[in-house]
Amino acid sequence: MLTFDSIPQARVVRHGGQHFTPPPRAAEPSQLGEQLRTVAAYAIGLWPLTGIVLLAIGLLWMAGMTGAP
């Protein structure tokens, strides 16, 4: 059986009685952009934990500096 799956063809969409071609597809994000987005999502999602860790480090530093000359 002959198939034409590998041949790109123009798509035509019928909308409201008029024919028009759909907008071009968005470009695929790069691997680096995808990883940066994941890191940003984790940083925003874990902000309470980050705040608690920074508070604990600050308290430990203050406790260590109380006896300093």
Side-chain angles (χ1 to χ4, degrees):
M1 182 173 170
L2 184 63
T3 61
F4 295 101
D5 292 338
S6 63
I7 299 174
Q9 298 177 0
R11 297 181 302 154
V12 177
V13 178
R14 184 174 174 91
H15 182 73
Q18 297 177 348
H19 292 286
F20 64 93
T21 58
R25 293 183 182 166
E28 294 288 329
S30 66
Q31 188 72 11
L32 178 63
E34 207 171 298
Q35 288 177 353
L36 288 175
R37 181 174 293 184
T38 302
V39 167
Y42 283 142
I44 292 170
L46 294 175
W47 70 266
L49 179 62
T50 305
I52 291 171
V53 168
L54 290 175
L55 176 67
I57 289 171
L59 290 173
L60 285 171
W61 182 76
M62 285 174 46
M65 295 304 273
T66 55

